[in-house]
Amino acid sequence: MRTVARPLVRPAQYVALACYIVFLGFPLLWLISASVKSSGELNSLTVSLLPSEWHWQNYSDALARQGLVRSAANSAVVALTSTALVILIAMPAAYVLARLKGAFRVAGVGWILVSQVFPVILIILPLFLILRTMNLTDSLVGLTLVHTTYTLPFALWMLQGYVAGIPTELEEAGSMDGASRLSVLRRIVFPLLAPGIVATAMFSFVSSWNEFFFALVLLQSPENYTLPITLTSFIGGEGKVALGPLAAGSFLAAIPSIVFFSIMQKKLTGGLMAGAVKG
Amino acid sequence: MKTRGVSIAACLTVTTLLVASCSGGGDGDDGPVTLEFQSLSDQPAAIEATEKIVGEWNDAHPDVQVEIVPTGWDGVYDKLITQFNGGAAPDIIHYEAASIVPFARDGYLADLSEHMSDERRADIPEGVLDSVTVDDQVVAYPTELQSYMVFANKKLLQDAGVDIPTGETMTWDELREIAKATTKGETYGLGWGLSSPTATFMTMAPGFGGEFFTGSGADAQITVGEGEMALPELVDQMAYEDESILPVTLTQSGSESIASFYAGQTAMTVQGSYQAANIAKDAPKDMDWVVLPPLEGPAGSGQAANPQTLSVNIDSEHVEESAAFIEFFTEAENLAALNEADALIPATTSAQELMRKNLGDENGWDTILASGQHFSSAPYLFVDAYAQWKDTVATPAYQRYLAQEIDADELADQLTSGWDEITS
Amino acid sequence: MTAPAPTTTASAPGGPVRPTRRRGGMERARRREAAALVMPSLLPILVLSVAPLVMGIALAFTDARLVRHPDYEFVGVDNFVRLAGNSFFWDSFRIGMIWAVSVTILQLVLALGLAQLLNSGLRLQSLTRVLALIPWAMPPVVVAIMWKMIYSPNAGPLNALLGALGLPDDINWLADFSTALPAVIVVGVWVGMPQTTVTLLAGLQQIPGELHEAASMDGAGAWRRFTAVTWPSLRPIVASITSLNFIWNFNSFSLVYVLTEGGPGGRTMLPMLFTYLEAFKNRNIGYAAAMGVVLVVVVVLLLAVYLRSQFRDDRAVQKG
């Protein structure tokens, strides 16, 4: 677009992008490769991307593993619900955090930082007791609330950053029209925040989808297990890892995330912005 | 606002503590008792074997039903510590001696001494029973064991003109000689995955009279003398004087180092006995391999036992029923079936015999099962700060030694002074 | 719930509140409004985050242990005094800082480059954007196992590639005393890339295109446009994401622990590992809580300095 003047820039950009993609994507490629190799081949010294013999049995082994599908469904419910909750309650609060200065802001920001630094292992016991009094241990509702709570600081922190990036003149223009604050928020601020909201939503989905420690400690019944918990059942004692089935299961588990990303990334574009400013 | 937040938090804190300490009363219903059995079985065959045993029990005991709660090895320690402290631990707990003993010391496990039948007590080799006995209380039933064995590539040994040892045991000197003899060209005599060296050195120290700790609990003292240093020094000599150990394997885990064995880069490899099943499955079809006799040091062929275990939560409302179930679970047939599925060594003599009868000498099982009588209990199991010493002092020090960053004296010194600093 | 009165000397770029509007009733309404907007977030945080955290911090001043029916008492700052003499903990602090600082900086630099590329209208944009998120699609348990395979000294693709290029192919990445820390840093950067990239990409999207166009019209080159337009607009977001990345990196140990178990010879031993061992393995939860408090204090101080400098620059920009 604006780089027409320099003919070499485009190819250089493509090369750079390709390097990034190789770096970021190669482990997945290797995972897929491992998922179609037999354990004999995985334990050999030959390095090859393609298997000498396609070993699809890893996939049937992975799917035969108790509850892989059910735990994927559990993960999806928990991740989607907590993402929706996070966005819903974080947006207004982030706005306040960004726009109102002073002691409250300092306290809010300070809290966010402290809550992220303090080791989770020291929080887990009190948290477990609190959830137990509310009868929310071994429950997906409890896990959803925990995931929501522990993603909130990040969501608030990021969203307030994006709010701070929105020129206040836009809002003021809205208020001059005599619109109420809430309607200014709804009509002007939130649409402008769209890319930030999408980024935050993706983060909160992923962190819930991949979250291991809270799920491990809080869930007890196998029918409540989430995906990461079920996947670790391929890792046995004494370092025995059923590598092939684990790779197959992980690849299957990665597909929903990738689909989710493909849908969400479309919303990460400037198109929304333009519309919002006009509206 | 800020003060109110704090006071809400404080109230919550107090209420939670109160509720937590009051909860846990009996539910007093008359229906059948249900016992939660947290099982770590991970191999599909072992899961099946466990389900079968539990199914038989449930059929025979309609009023005491056992429910399996499958859990992974990964993170189970964190899960248990939260469950115990949150008062939500299952009735029957599957784990391993080294990790369950600390829970027993902190008072979380029921004393099973009175529930264990004399028959069972006599059936468990003494060293194995000792490894689950804390302050004269049996805190767990041992179920499955592994020992370190030497697996050898027959052809490479024969090519080097080595007679394959067949005795009851094999001395470390013999191992060293065979390794030297088979080292030539691209081939090394031995591959030994020692990336986490502490567990291996602790397990095999009894053969050299190494004890490491005296006393137990918080008062334990460390000694690092000849017996404790013998094995690391032997490895060092083999790796750097004889140059008969493939260097890269010293930094790999056991299962990583096995690839070099399959590829014919090493003539022998030291592995956990359970690897026999994997080698049978994964080794190249044309490879002829054999399990060498158990290693014997100057102080015998003993290895420290760290069996898998079944324990009962002391706060369970049904300690007696749980113990009865474990008693049933550890009957010879059940243990043999489970160990066969896991390729491990049963913790009772009768189950070992049954398994030997079922398997014959296929895949070296004869030799592996024979090692099951040589387990001894190791003091490290009963030492409070062991886990921390292992991770922060011993493993780094051993790694430095094996990489020749420090010498033997410095190793001994680091092991001891690190312990002193941790326990001061 | 008292929202602080909006200050007249609005500190960050133009607060929405104009001095002329500062009248009692109006302000009360605003406060109520603010309270209503914040409450839904505040509630779960208070119950599930503040409460456990306060309890956790309180433990740092006791001799609590994780035993059945514990009885513990207040010991003042004893735990902190003891911690001051724990040389293992402080040694690991240095490694923790190297790890957290290098991962955070590399993440920022690499992600900024990637976000720019993804935002510059190249072909296959939607595909490349999804590919850039791959590290997110792998659960942490699997990440460590995959990278261990990639780094494997004799059966790994990395050494195979180096060999094919005629370079040394026998580097033992995770076990060599000199390469272990850099190798785990690469994995740390890899894991955090999607997070940082998406965040920055969203920030780039927020910059009105007119600004760039205006700059181009003035004849600004790519670098000049970056420093004059992109960077200033991105600043608040960069400050946010780097602070959080730093915290997360400093706080993480499980990834590294699975990769190297702190080895070789303690070269990758992160401070959080000590807290974990002390809390769960030694069951000295009181002492471990003291470690946690120290970590919090150090990290928050560092970040306060960092954020303050960011904040001051903002002001300078605004005045200038």
Side-chain angles (χ1 to χ4, degrees):
Chain A
M1 296 161 3
R2 285 182 290 268
T3 44
V4 191
R6 302 230 216 111
L8 275 178
V9 170
R10 271 282 121 133
Q13 283 180 326
Y14 279 108
V15 171
L17 189 59
C19 292
Y20 273 112
I21 299 295
V22 169
F23 172 57
L24 294 171
F26 185 76
L28 181 69
L29 199 62
W30 203 250
L31 177 86
I32 298 172
S33 159
S35 75
V36 288
K37 286 179 177 171
S38 67
S39 63
E41 193 169 355
L42 285 167
N43 278 303
S44 75
L45 292 182
T46 347
V47 184
S48 136
L49 194 57
L50 292 177
S52 60
E53 203 181 318
W54 296 77
H55 193 79
W56 296 109
Q57 204 198 327
N58 288 333
Y59 283 87
S60 47
D61 284 356
L63 286 170
R65 188 58 71 134
Q66 286 166 326
L68 188 74
V69 175
R70 189 184 46 210
S71 56
N74 288 343
S75 280
V77 169
V78 171
L80 289 172
T81 318
S82 62
T83 303
L85 273 174
V86 164
I87 297 299
L88 213 61
I89 64 184
M91 267 195 316
Y95 174 79
V96 174
L97 201 58
R99 288 293 189 241
L100 295 179
K101 312 289 168 186
F104 174 67
R105 182 178 158 82
V106 171
V109 169
W111 170 255
I112 290 171
L113 294 179
V114 172
S115 75
Q116 298 285 293
V117 195
F118 204 68
V120 175
I121 37 170
L122 298 173
I123 299 170
I124 191 70
L125 291 173
L127 180 66
F128 189 87
L129 293 175
I130 290 172
L131 285 167
R132 218 163 86 95
T133 55
M134 304 195 289
N135 246 333
L136 285 176
T137 50
D138 195 17
S139 122
L140 291 179
V141 176
L143 188 66
T144 307
L145 286 178
V146 170
H147 283 177
T148 305
T149 310
Y150 282 83
T151 320
L152 259 179
F154 169 82
L156 287 173
W157 182 240
M158 289 317 298
L159 285 176
Q160 67 90 19
Y162 292 116
V163 172
I166 295 177
T168 39
E169 293 78 18
L170 287 176
E171 271 176 62
E172 282 164 31
S175 329
M176 302 258 218
D177 297 347
S180 78
R181 171 112 140 204
L182 276 176
S183 100
V184 170
L185 281 185
R186 214 182 55 233
R187 280 189 18 246
I188 299 175
V189 178
F190 293 161
L192 275 172
L193 275 178
I197 290 171
V198 172
T200 311
M202 288 169 99
F203 169 77
S204 69
F205 176 85
V206 167
S207 48
S208 169
W209 179 264
N210 285 339
E211 200 280 326
F212 177 69
F213 189 69
F214 286 130
L216 168 82
V217 167
L218 296 177
L219 301 177
Q220 175 68 5
S221 327
E223 57 271 17
N224 281 340
Y225 281 1
T226 54
L227 207 48
I229 305 298
T230 306
L231 281 178
T232 55
S233 70
F234 293 104
I235 302 168
E238 287 121 26
K240 283 180 283 188
V241 180
L243 209 47
L246 174 68
S250 313
F251 177 54
L252 293 177
I255 294 173
S257 323
I258 294 177
V259 170
F260 181 79
F261 297 156
S262 321
I263 300 169
M264 292 303 267
Q265 71 83 21
K266 293 208 184 79
K267 311 243 185 295
L268 256 183
T269 55
L272 277 173
M273 288 278 306
V277 176
K278 268 181 242 146
Chain B
M1 148 68 226
K2 262 180 109 181
T3 47
R4 198 194 295 171
V6 172
S7 59
I8 291 173
C11 290
L12 250 170
T13 313
V14 174
T15 26
T16 355
L17 288 175
L18 283 176
V19 176
S21 56
C22 298
S23 66
D27 38 352
D29 50 339
D30 297 325
V33 171
T34 305
L35 305 176
E36 279 192 343
F37 169 25
Q38 184 161 297
S39 161
L40 297 173
S41 287
D42 55 319
Q43 306 293 310
I47 294 172
E48 218 170 279
T50 309
E51 280 169 355
K52 187 164 164 275
I53 299 170
V54 169
E56 278 167 21
W57 166 271
N58 285 345
D59 289 346
H61 301 83
D63 51 340
V64 182
Q65 292 291 298
V66 173
E67 188 190 344
I68 303 177
V69 180
T71 303
W73 281 94
D74 202 30
V76 66
Y77 186 93
D78 303 350
K79 184 170 179 137
L80 269 177
I81 207 157
T82 319
Q83 287 175 332
F84 273 125
N85 284 281
D91 302 286
I92 302 159
I93 297 150
H94 173 192
Y95 211 2
E96 54 160 8
S99 309
I100 202 73
V101 163
F103 288 106
R105 298 196 63 86
D106 291 342
Y108 288 118
L109 299 183
D111 177 9
L112 301 177
S113 315
E114 309 221 323
H115 302 282
M116 183 180 266
S117 65
D118 293 342
E119 182 202 347
R120 191 75 72 250
R121 194 184 296 268
D123 202 11
I124 301 171
E126 198 189 337
V128 179
L129 190 61
D130 284 349
S131 71
V132 290
T133 308
V134 178
D135 300 333
D136 296 325
Q137 300 187 353
V138 174
V139 298
Y141 279 58
T143 55
E144 303 177 271
L145 289 147
Q146 67 140 337
S147 59
Y148 288 103
M149 305 296 294
V150 182
F151 295 83
N153 183 328
K154 252 187 185 167
K155 183 167 174 298
L156 289 177
L157 262 60
Q158 282 158 351
D159 286 355
V162 174
D163 290 334
I164 289 165
T166 51
E168 280 276 292
T169 56
M170 169 175 85
T171 64
W172 285 93
D173 290 338
E174 273 180 85
L175 176 75
R176 190 173 172 183
E177 288 311 316
I178 301 176
K180 249 197 255 182
T182 45
T183 299
K184 51 181 147 189
E186 296 280 278
T187 309
Y188 284 82
L190 187 65
W192 197 346
L194 281 176
S195 68
S196 320
T198 316
T200 315
F201 289 154
M202 288 286 145
T203 305
M204 304 195 88
F208 299 90
E211 301 236 297
F212 283 97
F213 297 99
T214 48
S216 66
D219 317 318
Q221 295 292 318
I222 196 169
T223 17
V224 181
E226 229 171 273
E228 288 76 17
M229 289 297 294
L231 186 53
E233 283 180 18
L234 178 72
V235 173
D236 179 66
Q237 284 158 2
M238 288 178 72
Y240 298 106
E241 277 177 32
D242 304 353
E243 297 185 349
S244 61
I245 297 182
L246 179 61
V248 72
T249 59
L250 290 177
T251 65
Q252 290 179 311
S253 70
S255 32
E256 283 165 345
S257 72
I258 212 166
S260 312
F261 181 65
Y262 293 155
Q265 288 185 350
T266 57
M268 298 181 289
T269 180
V270 181
Q271 296 286 343
S273 52
Y274 67 88
Q275 294 279 19
N278 290 333
I279 297 177
K281 183 164 58 98
D282 296 341
K285 302 270 173 300
D286 53 349
M287 190 170 127
D288 198 3
W289 57 277
V290 63
V291 182
L292 300 185
L295 285 161
E296 181 175 12
S301 60
Q303 294 191 12
N306 179 19
Q308 292 188 27
T309 54
L310 292 175
S311 310
V312 179
N313 176 2
I314 198 167
D315 291 321
S316 161
E317 286 161 37
H318 311 287
V319 173
E320 205 175 324
E321 291 88 342
S322 302
F325 169 75
I326 299 179
E327 186 75 24
F328 169 79
F329 194 94
T330 49
E331 280 174 11
E333 271 166 55
N334 293 338
L335 272 195
L338 184 66
N339 278 280
E340 194 178 327
D342 267 332
L344 289 165
I345 304 168
T348 63
T349 311
S350 59
Q352 286 172 14
E353 274 160 15
L354 188 61
M355 202 167 150
R356 186 171 314 145
K357 214 171 70 194
N358 293 344
L359 292 178
D361 60 355
E362 184 199 349
N363 292 337
W365 270 112
D366 215 8
T367 323
I368 293 173
L369 287 168
S371 72
Q373 288 297 319
H374 299 281
F375 284 109
S376 60
S377 167
Y380 81 84
L381 293 175
F382 309 102
V383 169
D384 271 356
Y386 174 72
Q388 190 183 20
W389 177 77
K390 173 179 171 246
D391 274 357
T392 61
V393 176
T395 302
Y398 280 129
Q399 284 171 339
R400 282 184 213 117
Y401 177 68
L402 292 177
Q404 293 204 301
E405 298 250 313
I406 54 174
D407 64 24
D409 291 337
E410 284 169 301
L411 170 63
D413 179 60
Q414 289 188 3
L415 292 177
T416 325
S417 60
W419 172 261
D420 293 341
E421 175 155 2
I422 284 178
T423 51
S424 67
Chain C
M1 180 83 213
T2 46
T7 45
T8 33
T9 51
S11 36
V17 185
R18 276 162 300 169
T20 44
R21 283 237 213 131
R22 288 190 66 197
R23 303 251 304 279
M26 202 66 139
E27 202 176 314
R28 218 171 302 132
R30 284 203 147 232
R31 279 187 207 166
R32 226 173 287 136
E33 212 173 58
L37 292 175
V38 168
M39 235 10 189
S41 286
L42 211 55
L43 210 63
I45 288 186
L46 282 179
V47 177
L48 297 180
S49 182
V50 176
L53 200 123
V54 168
M55 289 158 88
I57 293 177
L59 284 175
F61 302 93
T62 68
D63 58 359
R65 300 203 66 227
L66 288 181
V67 296
R68 188 163 172 261
H69 304 318
D71 64 302
Y72 43 84
E73 45 196 70
F74 181 74
V75 293
V77 293
D78 281 10
N79 287 327
F80 295 93
V81 174
R82 204 176 135 206
L83 185 58
N86 185 332
S87 68
F88 289 111
F89 180 73
W90 297 107
D91 282 349
S92 76
F93 223 90
R94 191 183 54 85
I95 297 174
M97 288 308 288
I98 298 179
W99 150 266
V101 170
S102 33
V103 172
T104 308
I105 292 178
L106 287 171
Q107 266 169 356
L108 177 66
V109 172
L110 288 175
L112 198 55
L114 181 57
Q116 294 263 42
L117 286 172
L118 292 178
N119 197 37
S120 53
L122 300 176
R123 270 160 215 276
L124 298 174
Q125 198 184 53
S126 23
L127 178 67
T128 48
R129 280 188 179 180
V130 174
L131 289 175
L133 299 179
I134 280 174
W136 256 357
M138 283 161 77
V141 235
V142 184
V143 167
I145 292 174
M146 274 305 115
W147 276 96
K148 262 175 127 165
M149 286 176 72
I150 291 173
Y151 279 137
S152 164
N154 50 6
L158 180 57
N159 273 347
L161 173 75
L162 291 177
L165 296 174
L167 297 164
D169 63 351
D170 56 351
I171 301 171
N172 200 344
W173 297 98
L174 290 172
D176 192 283
F177 281 66
S178 54
T179 55
L181 189 56
V184 295
I185 287 175
V186 168
V187 183
V189 172
W190 183 86
V191 168
M193 277 289 282
Q195 177 58 33
T196 320
T197 309
V198 166
T199 307
L200 294 175
L201 186 56
L204 288 175
Q205 295 288 344
Q206 240 186 5
I207 303 171
E210 298 84 48
L211 289 179
H212 272 289
E213 272 155 40
S216 295
M217 301 262 222
D218 295 347
W223 177 248
R224 181 84 192 94
R225 280 205 309 279
F226 177 78
T227 52
V229 178
T230 313
W231 184 248
S233 322
L234 224 45
R235 272 282 293 287
I237 294 170
V238 168
S240 301
I241 193 70
T242 43
S243 334
L244 278 171
N245 277 343
F246 179 78
I247 291 178
W248 287 331
N249 293 327
F250 195 79
N251 223 336
S252 75
F253 78 91
S254 53
L255 175 73
V256 177
Y257 190 70
V258 179
L259 282 170
T260 63
E261 291 178 54
R267 288 297 157 92
T268 58
M269 192 88 74
L270 301 181
M272 206 48 80
L273 176 65
F274 284 85
T275 318
Y276 171 78
L277 287 171
E278 201 63 55
F280 274 20
K281 296 282 164 134
N282 283 2
R283 284 100 67 214
N284 286 327
I285 190 100
Y287 188 37
M291 291 181 176
V293 170
V294 168
L295 291 176
V296 171
V297 169
V298 172
V299 171
V300 168
L301 279 180
L302 285 173
L303 284 178
V305 173
Y306 170 71
L307 289 173
R308 216 193 152 87
S309 71
Q310 291 294 316
F311 190 60
R312 198 173 289 142
D313 287 356
D314 276 352
R315 257 189 213 178
V317 168
Q318 203 201 356
K319 275 179 194 151

